[in-house]
Amino acid sequence: MPLQTLKIPIPTPNETSSTRSLISVLSLTPHPEGGYFNRTHTNPTTIPSPFPGQIGETRPLSTSIFYLITAHSPIMRFHKNRSSIVHTAVRGRGRYVLIHESGKVETFVVGCDVEGGEVAQWVVEGGLWKASVLEEGAGELLITEVVVPGFDFSDHEFMVKDRLVDIVGLDAAEKLSPLLRS
Ligand code: GUN
């Protein structure tokens, strides 16, 4: 898909009552990337951090979350994690945008309609930049994420404009900049 046709959703003023009910049933809270989340599992086994420069640090073997983007909060902003993350679609439809350090931009539609070509399970390796947007016509995208080793904010980094320009060039960065936090 050419980046020109990437649809950036406009947030609605409020959540619908069915989305509010989903947020409440799953005890989700706002995520700094956009959308909502809840930690559902922290593996009780602890391992030494495998990442460079973190001697003496530990991580849970894995952590899991529900993550939701909605009509009111339809964008997960560009960021990367050191850990690899296994994502599984639970309901709804969205589009993932991945940026490799080489500058290659990859985008695909995620959801549960596997016969219709939606990707129901996808792995984002540590170090890749990722963002997601709600697909037009979808009220929400609910997924699970399993983070290995477990999530820690010190392994997380938001993309900034200058870095985006460096990686993908000025033209692509202009098109992708609505997906930046800053
Ligand atoms: N992203 C993936 N897992 C987590 C988590 O456990 N907490 C936060 N804040 N973000 C995450």
Side-chain angles (χ1 to χ4, degrees):
M1 191 211 62
L3 274 184
Q4 287 84 325
T5 55
L6 179 69
K7 278 249 178 200
I8 309 292
I10 315 267
T12 57
N14 299 297
E15 300 294 7
T16 63
S17 61
S18 69
T19 298
R20 282 205 305 273
S21 142
L22 182 63
I23 290 169
S24 160
V25 164
L26 295 179
S27 306
L28 305 180
T29 56
H31 197 288
E33 295 156 4
Y36 305 85
F37 85 115
N38 188 19
R39 173 84 67 95
T40 51
H41 182 248
T42 302
N43 195 302
T45 300
T46 297
I47 58 162
S49 169
F51 305 121
Q54 297 188 343
I55 293 159
E57 285 194 41
T58 60
R59 297 284 181 273
L61 189 54
S62 67
T63 56
S64 300
I65 60 167
F66 274 121
Y67 180 75
L68 176 74
I69 51 176
T70 66
H72 177 60
S73 189
I75 295 174
M76 177 185 78
R77 298 182 186 86
F78 268 119
H79 65 280
K80 68 177 177 182
N81 289 285
R82 288 194 174 98
S83 294
S84 293
I85 303 186
V86 182
H87 306 70
T88 306
V90 176
R91 73 159 71 153
R93 196 165 66 255
R95 177 175 288 280
Y96 266 65
V97 184
L98 304 182
I99 303 178
H100 299 250
E101 271 307 326
S102 65
K104 186 182 114 182
V105 180
E106 186 188 350
T107 166
F108 50 92
V109 174
V110 305
C112 299
D113 181 9
V114 289
E115 288 89 354
E118 294 172 6
V119 178
Q121 193 172 72
W122 61 105
V123 177
V124 178
E125 299 295 345
L128 256 72
W129 297 98
K130 71 172 180 178
S132 65
V133 293
L134 198 62
E135 274 279 281
E136 228 179 356
E140 60 220 358
L141 171 69
L142 177 66
I143 68 167
T144 65
E145 293 189 9
V146 182
V147 186
V148 184
F151 182 86
D152 189 296
F153 251 115
S154 64
D155 300 328
H156 175 284
E157 189 181 346
F158 278 108
M159 176 74 98
V160 294
K161 182 75 187 275
D162 288 355
R163 186 107 179 244
L164 184 61
V165 172
D166 281 350
I167 302 173
V168 299
L170 203 52
D171 279 3
E174 281 307 320
K175 298 196 176 79
L176 294 172
S177 63
L179 307 185
L180 288 173
R181 189 178 74 146
S182 49

